[in-house]
Amino acid sequence: MSDLFTHGYALLIGVGNTADPLYSLPVTVKDAQALKAVLTDANFCAYPNTPDRVRLLQNEGATRSAILEGLDWLKGCAEADPDATIVIYYSGHGTFDLASNAYYLLQHDFNEQAIPETALSAETLTEKLRKIEAKRLWVIIDSCHAEGMATAKNDLPADFLPTALPKGVIDALKQGEGRAVFTSSRGNQSSWLRPDRILSVYTYHLIEALQGGANQPGDRLVKISNVMTHLGKTVSESARNFWDEEQTPFFDAATEDFPVAMLRGGKGLPSQTQSPELPRVMTHQEVMTPALAMAKRSLAILEEQAAGFGKLQMPGHLRIELEEKRLEVAELEARLTDGKSNG
């Protein structure tokens, strides 16, 4: 009988249908459902398939209050299980308020004319996460979808900008030990769907990673580093191949590597010569170098755009993107240098 990932707990949120149909995006539910299927499959991630271990919020059930209740549930799980590994996954729209510098996730029951009062703010999410005292906590945000927000954004209040999770928000979310935050894209990039529109590009490759896409023969667990390796290689390639667009996933795992799932139900990959179909695990330098090159390329484009404005006329969203991209380049350069010095 396959082993179980006994101490795994997950809250999966696929917003899907929203109270205002203009913002609905059914693929987000498909994403969350597919992730739940692989997490609870005894032949893959092997999380116990019970409501006290894995919960799915979708469509009308993905309300602000239900999400907050789910986070409180995870807090209780961590208190009851000192060895808990907790996964929080959100697939839906996100928006940044230029006036208040606040970020919001747009759950089922938000009101586009009263976003600060009705949507789930990153500040509230951060407060809830800080109360979850788990040794290992992994937050995954697949937001700023290319379809849906493209038509809906014109109906948002003027100060609200559809965007991926800003780095300052990520820094707040990851406060604490044993925490990792993954986002599907960066800055003003979109999170693209696959051509068949069954899953988003990001979640499709996330599931591949959980099935062992970047593991090695003899491995019996999927770790954060395995997921980073696979997503770092495949998401950007798929976005370029399918849509000729840039989508660069972001990872912030300032913590020791930790397992997030069983590999093939605990049986793992056979201890033999690696199959040519499995990608080799990329080195730190191989992951960081192309990411840095892409960030510098994006920065050059933003600086060229900024040069066309005076300081007073530059749009607020462009100032924010320019600042965040400069910070991203500096951080990637530091990580690459640190990785080289550590061998």
Side-chain angles (χ1 to χ4, degrees):
M1 182 176 178
S2 299
D3 296 329
L4 290 177
F5 195 65
T6 309
H7 300 285
Y9 304 84
L11 177 65
L12 312 176
I13 304 159
V15 175
N17 295 329
T18 51
D20 183 342
L22 189 63
Y23 299 88
S24 295
L25 191 57
V27 73
T28 62
V29 168
K30 297 175 184 176
D31 282 344
Q33 290 172 341
L35 183 57
K36 180 178 186 288
V38 75
L39 283 177
T40 57
D41 191 327
N43 294 312
F44 287 111
C45 298
Y47 279 55
N49 190 11
T50 56
D52 63 333
R53 296 306 178 89
V54 179
R55 292 190 181 181
L56 172 62
L57 302 179
Q58 57 186 334
N59 295 322
E60 291 77 8
T63 62
R64 186 178 186 276
S65 61
I67 294 171
L68 295 178
E69 288 173 7
L71 294 170
D72 289 338
W73 163 67
L74 289 175
K75 175 179 178 290
C77 293
E79 292 172 349
D81 184 353
D83 293 320
T85 295
I86 288 177
V87 179
I88 300 168
Y89 169 89
Y90 172 91
S91 184
H93 292 311
T95 188
F96 186 77
D97 182 358
L98 295 171
S100 63
N101 290 327
Y103 189 82
Y104 297 90
L105 297 176
L106 305 182
Q107 79 290 336
H108 170 79
D109 55 346
F110 88 98
N111 182 334
E112 71 275 12
Q113 297 305 317
I115 291 176
E117 294 78 24
T118 61
L120 177 61
S121 70
E123 181 179 5
T124 298
L125 177 59
T126 299
E127 291 174 357
K128 288 291 187 180
L129 292 181
R130 286 177 178 167
K131 295 178 181 179
I132 301 175
E133 297 181 355
K135 291 182 179 179
R136 295 166 292 276
L137 189 150
W138 182 24
V139 180
I140 310 157
I141 306 291
D142 188 356
S143 66
C144 198
H145 290 276
E147 184 183 3
M149 217 56 177
T151 56
K153 64 182 180 183
N154 293 328
D155 293 281
L156 288 172
D159 287 333
F160 287 85
L161 177 71
T163 181
L165 211 62
K167 187 178 182 306
V169 175
I170 295 172
D171 289 340
L173 290 179
K174 73 178 181 65
Q175 293 299 313
E177 297 182 2
R179 306 204 165 202
V181 179
F182 285 19
T183 65
S184 59
S185 57
R186 306 182 187 210
N188 62 346
Q189 292 178 342
S190 292
S191 183
W192 291 89
L193 310 185
R194 286 172 53 81
D196 59 14
R197 301 183 182 274
I198 295 175
L199 295 175
S200 68
V201 165
Y202 184 82
T203 298
Y204 178 87
H205 291 303
L206 171 63
I207 290 171
E208 281 186 332
L210 292 171
Q211 293 173 328
N215 281 90
Q216 298 294 305
D219 289 352
R220 296 174 61 86
L221 295 167
V222 178
K223 296 185 176 182
I224 283 287
S225 59
N226 301 129
V227 181
M228 290 172 61
T229 295
H230 191 72
L231 292 177
K233 174 180 174 59
T234 57
V235 172
S236 296
E237 288 181 354
S238 288
R240 285 194 295 267
N241 291 338
F242 291 147
W243 306 113
D244 195 26
E245 296 282 354
E246 296 297 330
Q247 181 182 342
T248 309
F250 182 84
F251 318 109
D252 202 324
T255 180
E256 294 183 5
D257 198 8
F258 60 86
V260 292
M262 305 298 290
L263 177 56
R264 300 192 181 182
K267 296 184 288 293
L269 300 181
S271 298
Q272 59 187 26
T273 303
Q274 183 174 344
S275 166
E277 296 180 357
L278 290 172
R280 175 179 60 84
V281 175
M282 299 164 70
T283 66
H284 176 84
Q285 186 171 351
E286 287 173 329
V287 172
M288 299 305 298
T289 299
L292 176 59
M294 187 174 297
K296 286 183 174 179
R297 195 157 59 243
S298 299
L299 177 59
I301 293 172
L302 289 172
E303 289 178 334
E304 183 178 346
Q305 294 174 351
F309 297 93
K311 289 185 177 179
L312 296 178
Q313 289 79 27
M314 188 186 303
H317 70 86
L318 182 55
R319 286 199 303 271
I320 292 171
E321 292 170 19
L322 194 58
E323 180 182 350
E324 289 188 347
K325 188 60 64 176
R326 285 169 176 162
L327 289 172
E328 180 186 332
V329 168
E331 180 179 336
L332 288 170
E333 287 176 335
R335 289 189 176 188
L336 183 59
T337 300
D338 182 62
K340 288 180 178 177
S341 64
N342 290 334

